[in-house]
Amino acid sequence: MNTVNLTMAVVLGGLYATGFYLLLQRSLMRVLLGIVILGHGANLLLQLAGGSQAGRPPMLGDVPIGQMADPLPQAMALTAIVITFALTTFLLALAYRAWQLLGHDEVQDDVEDRRIRRLEAELAHADEETEQERDSEATR
C-alpha cells in the first residue's frame, strides 16, 4: 500500500496555487511563469501518484516481475515535461513578439469582452429600474 508523503502534497498544493495565481495576472511573463509552475506541479503530481516504491529496471528476463518498477508514471512525467517545454517556448516567443510590437507585455481586454460587460451593466440597470417601478406601483 502506497502512502502519500504529506510534504510532497503540501508542495504540490503550493505549486498549483502559485501557478493559478500567476496565470490570472495581466502580464504575459507572469502567465508564462504560471504555466511553467503548473507544469512542474503536474510533473510532481504524476510522480506522487506513481508511488514512491523504488524498483529494478523493467526488463523482462533480468528481474522477477514483483521487483520491477512501474514505467508508466515515468513515461507520463517525461511526456508532461515535453509538453510543458513546448508550451513554454511558444509563450516565450509570443511574449517576445508582443514586447516588440507593443512595447509591453500586458494582456489587454478584448473588445468583445468590453461589449459584453457593458451590456450586462445595462441589463442590470434596467432590472433595477423595473424593480423600482414595481415597488412604487405597489405602494400607491
Side-chain angles (χ1 to χ4, degrees):
M1 180 176 149
N2 291 336
T3 59
V4 176
N5 186 351
L6 182 62
T7 306
M8 292 292 272
V10 170
V11 168
L12 181 66
L15 283 173
Y16 273 106
T18 304
F20 280 120
Y21 175 76
L22 288 173
L23 199 60
L24 295 174
Q25 299 300 312
R26 290 237 180 233
S27 171
L28 201 53
M29 289 309 293
R30 289 183 182 177
V31 170
L32 175 69
L33 287 174
I35 295 265
V36 169
I37 290 173
L38 281 176
H40 288 307
N43 297 338
L44 185 61
L45 176 67
L46 289 171
Q47 290 298 321
L48 190 62
S52 60
Q53 290 191 358
R56 307 276 313 263
M59 304 290 181
L60 288 177
D62 292 346
V63 180
I65 292 177
Q67 295 178 356
M68 287 184 188
D70 186 15
L72 184 62
Q74 296 171 3
M76 290 176 67
L78 286 173
T79 303
I81 289 169
V82 169
I83 291 170
T84 302
F85 181 70
L87 193 58
T88 301
T89 55
F90 172 72
L91 286 175
L92 193 57
L94 185 68
Y96 177 72
R97 185 69 177 155
W99 184 266
Q100 274 188 333
L101 293 176
L102 304 173
H104 59 83
D105 69 340
E106 187 167 323
V107 178
Q108 300 293 323
D109 281 341
D110 190 26
V111 176
E112 191 68 20
D113 290 340
R114 290 184 194 148
R115 188 184 66 80
I116 291 172
R117 194 176 308 129
R118 187 177 63 242
L119 180 63
E120 286 178 348
E122 289 173 3
L123 289 174
H125 183 68
D127 287 343
E128 288 176 7
E129 287 178 356
T130 306
E131 191 173 310
Q132 288 175 357
E133 288 175 6
R134 285 185 198 151
D135 291 341
S136 65
E137 288 176 5
T139 57
R140 290 182 188 172

